[in-house]
Every structure is written in structure tokens, then in C-alpha cells.
Amino acid sequence: MNDYRQSKKLLGFTLIEVMLAMAVFSIAGIALLSATTNNTRNIGYLEDKMFANWVAANQLVATNLVENWPPKNNLKGDVELAGRTWFWQQKVIKTPDKDMRAIVMEIRLKKGDELPISSLTTYVSKVEK
């Protein structure tokens, strides 16, 4: 009979063991939730970055089609893509070669944003006619 009582005591978890297990699982759950939140935020940023790069590439192609020399500096505008309005600004930079210019296209989501989401650079040269 004494063996039966001792074995019955060993069958269940103590309150401390249960609380420790709950603490471990709650910490793991919080870490998983944090990782999921960061992943979701990063996916949104990467989507914005991808669309901004497309807008910048399209604007640089349009700039290459213009035959004015030198290209105009600080042109600004907006374009609609993927149901959103993207604001672009063209900056023309002189190079050591007088017949070549660097063109930087900066893309922003809001007109007053300090930092662009995307910035692409290309070079254009003067075409002799």
C-alpha cells in the first residue's frame, strides 16, 4: 500500500512545473509573433521599393528619349502606378566629360519626404547630328 501512495504522487505535474511550461510557451509565442510582424512589415517595404524602381526606370527611359541638350535639371512630376501616386525628381549632374551628364531619378511616396524610396542613376551623352 505504501508503494501505491508513492507512485500516485509521481504521476502529476506540480504547480511550479506547469507555470514554468506556460512561461516557456508564452515566450516562444511572443518571439513568433514578433518575427511574423517584422516579416509582414518587410514585405510591404519591398513591394514599395520594387514599384519605386519601376517608376524610376520608366522615367529614365523617358528622359533618354528627349533630345534636348543638356537635360533639364530638377524636373519634377508624379505618375500613377499600382493604384498609387509616385513623386519623381530628376537631378542632372555634370561629369568631367562636357558631352556627358549623369541623371539621378529619385522616387518618393509623398511630396514632402526627405529621403527617396528609390534612386537610380544613368548617363547620357550628347548626340552629334
Side-chain angles (χ1 to χ4, degrees):
M1 183 99 133
N2 197 11
D3 290 334
Y4 176 72
R5 285 185 193 165
Q6 286 179 345
S7 65
K8 195 170 186 181
K9 286 183 181 179
L10 298 175
L11 291 178
F13 292 108
T14 65
L15 180 59
I16 292 179
E17 290 172 332
V18 170
M19 289 177 63
L20 184 61
M22 288 177 62
V24 167
F25 283 120
S26 66
I27 290 171
I30 290 170
L32 183 63
L33 183 62
S34 175
T36 303
T37 302
N38 285 338
N39 189 30
T40 303
R41 188 178 308 121
N42 287 338
I43 287 174
Y45 174 75
L46 289 175
E47 182 180 81
D48 288 347
K49 185 93 169 153
M50 178 187 66
F51 286 131
N53 282 334
W54 287 354
V55 170
N58 289 343
Q59 293 305 315
L60 286 175
V61 167
T63 300
N64 282 331
L65 295 175
V66 175
E67 295 181 7
N68 293 343
W69 187 261
K72 292 185 179 179
N73 192 16
N74 289 325
L75 288 178
K76 296 178 182 179
D78 59 78
V79 66
E80 183 83 20
L81 180 69
R84 297 170 82 174
T85 302
W86 302 87
F87 297 95
W88 58 269
Q89 181 176 5
Q90 171 181 307
K91 294 182 179 179
V92 178
I93 302 168
K94 289 184 179 181
T95 61
D97 183 352
K98 65 180 176 105
D99 291 333
M100 185 173 272
R101 298 286 189 270
I103 300 177
V104 179
M105 191 64 63
E106 295 179 345
I107 309 299
R108 293 173 174 78
L109 264 175
K110 297 176 186 165
K111 229 175 197 176
D113 284 351
E114 288 281 326
L115 297 173
I117 291 179
S118 177
S119 177
L120 291 181
T121 303
T122 191
Y123 293 89
V124 294
S125 63
K126 185 177 185 180
V127 179
E128 295 294 329
K129 293 183 180 181

